[in-house]
Amino acid sequence: MQDTKDRTAGAAAPETGAFDMIIVGAGFAGMYMLHRARGLGLKARVFEAGTDVGGTWYWNRYPGARCDVESLEYSYSFSEELQQQWKWTERFAPQPEILKYAQHVADRFDLRRDIVFNTRVIASHYDEDAARWTVRTDTGAVVTGQFVVMATGCLSSTNLPDFKGLGSFKGRTYHTGQWPHEEVRFDGLRVGVIGTGSSAIQSIPIIAGQAKEVFVFQRTPNYSIPAHNAPLDPAYEAQIKADYAGFRARNRRMMPGFGSNNPRNEKSVFEAGEEERRAAFEARWNRGGLGFQGAFGDLMLNDEANQIAAEFVRGKIREIVKDQALAEKLAPRQAIGCKRICVDTGYYDTFNRPHVHLVDISQAPIEEITPTGLRTGGMDYALDAIVFATGFDAMTGTLLKMDIRGRNGLTLREKWSAGPRTYLGLGVVGFPNLFIVTGPGSPSVLTNMIVSIEQHVDWISDCVQYLRDHGKRSIEATEPAEISWVGHVNAVADATIYPTCNSWYLGANVPGKTRVFMPLIGFPAYADKCEEVKARGYEGFALGA
Ligand code: N01
């Protein structure tokens, strides 16, 4: 069971006052930002909606939740002692272990004394004369800060579609992204799971292990690669820890900021013969995980190349799923990797179980949630519990829920009404001294998030130090820099197959959300650009005295 104890008890953190830096969120980004802020001698305060640290790993407690980046990589690199001493037990860490790790970091670096839990930031307004932000919370706290850092995560605002009759259901309902802290069991129940993204694909095999019947309501099938998860190999761990810094540095030169132990094969799939292709795909399928996408260099650049990889996975689905009509329903048609690839343990095989049913809702959407279940395609499905694995209002949802107002009262909602606009994903014109960690326009969700978080927090820390050293009190992205950056992010995406399907990268999963490809593809070039901007005295930003 998780440690769900309310750690605010006895906390000395005041909820009013003036700070150098206000940090919103105590996930991996907020925790590291606080640590670095303290190192700079800043008076910092963190506000966190949950009762503990951990961010995404605090909220996403659904059965089977596990990271799809290997544990020796999905961890902080800023402390050699920490990375040497912490012991992961599995190749891909399960959610409870990642949460324990976050709690360990909070204790080890004594972070909690500056974090106010159970407190959601609802507004942040900039006062141009004072060059300070006033931040308000749902507990009535009003504080000011010279800098505000939005460490609010990319997948922190759950998406619950507005199904007709939603409130009428008499059974139990859950959203994977807001899972209860108590153990949830489905023994003897008829369970409906809506969605077939990563959260569903991880949880369905576990739910099927308990429930009497499972109905999976699938709008779009997804490609999933087996995790082949296993206890962490001590010899591999020792090898990595013998040169952990070198391993981290090599990972930072990878496109997604991880995977130097299984780098992308730069060769074009068209340069390989049938046998070589098969062997390359087989090897990556057998190794497991997201590295499958790196079997050839052009899989994400060329639709024909992509479909060769896609067809390999469809073939695997046909091999695993015994009922071939069902296998065809589970076989995706969109480009592989266009929606984020899933990593599973026994997902497709679960559909061989007689009590697990796939309901294809691609042609007939869910009409209504009823008191006893749900109706789609003119059929009523009787359910005792519904699991909404319907994802997130990604990258912008949490930021836009807050009332953020910059210079001249400009709201972030107005500013981003046609989609998010940033410079480097870090700063926004009209919003001085506001930094976003892994914001839209930065590689964020296309990378190992912790690598991106550390890179952003280090950059922000250096920037604040620079401003102090040079007697500047404000920094704001300039219009030309922002315009050119937004163009760059779009141009990079348009050269790939990423924008060709309805993914949450585009905001396509949330009705009414502007369709814009939000993350920047490619970590190393991005990190180099950030270093260049810094070396040129924060080129593209205006610094105010
Ligand atoms: O959410 P999703 P997720 N009616 O958006 C369906 C990370 N993550 O929580 O594809 C019916 O991927 C929707 O259908 P469609 C990871 O980055 C990582 O699973 O829009 N269905 C889709 O099938 C991941 O990509 C891990 O047609 C509706 C599903 O709901 C991201 O989080 C684990 C619907 C949502 O899938 C999000 O994953 C978990 C409607 N009205 C998550 N609306 C790791 O392994 C939506 N859907 C680390």
Side-chain angles (χ1 to χ4, degrees), residues 3-9 11 26-28 30-32 34-35 38 51-54 76 78-79 82 85-86 96-115 117:
D3 177 358
T4 58
K5 136 175 115 209
D6 183 347
R7 290 171 186 277
T8 55
F28 282 106
M31 287 201 295
Y32 182 45
L34 173 60
H35 178 66
R38 279 189 188 158
T51 59
D52 202 358
V53 297
Y76 286 123
F78 71 84
S79 161
L82 171 66
Q85 288 168 14
W86 181 263
E97 193 165 303
I98 304 175
L99 186 59
K100 265 199 207 109
Y101 172 74
Q103 291 165 344
H104 168 81
V105 171
D107 291 337
R108 187 176 182 124
F109 296 96
D110 189 22
L111 298 178
R112 286 197 175 86
R113 65 185 157 85
D114 286 321
I115 305 175
F117 293 101

Side-chain angles (χ1 to χ4, degrees), residues 21 32-33 35-42 147 149 426 435 453-472 475 527 530-538 541 543:
M21 183 180 278
Y32 182 45
M33 189 70 250
H35 178 66
R36 287 297 318 266
R38 279 189 188 158
L40 294 174
L42 302 182
F147 300 100
V149 178
L426 279 159
F435 297 107
I453 283 168
E454 287 191 327
Q455 184 256 339
H456 263 188
V457 168
D458 288 342
W459 191 94
I460 294 166
S461 304
D462 291 349
C463 176
V464 169
Q465 184 65 55
Y466 181 93
L467 296 174
R468 301 233 143 169
D469 291 347
H470 291 78
K472 306 285 185 192
I475 179 165
C530 288
E531 282 306 301
E532 189 186 305
V533 165
K534 179 171 94 180
R536 295 190 177 163
Y538 297 91
F541 289 94
L543 312 187

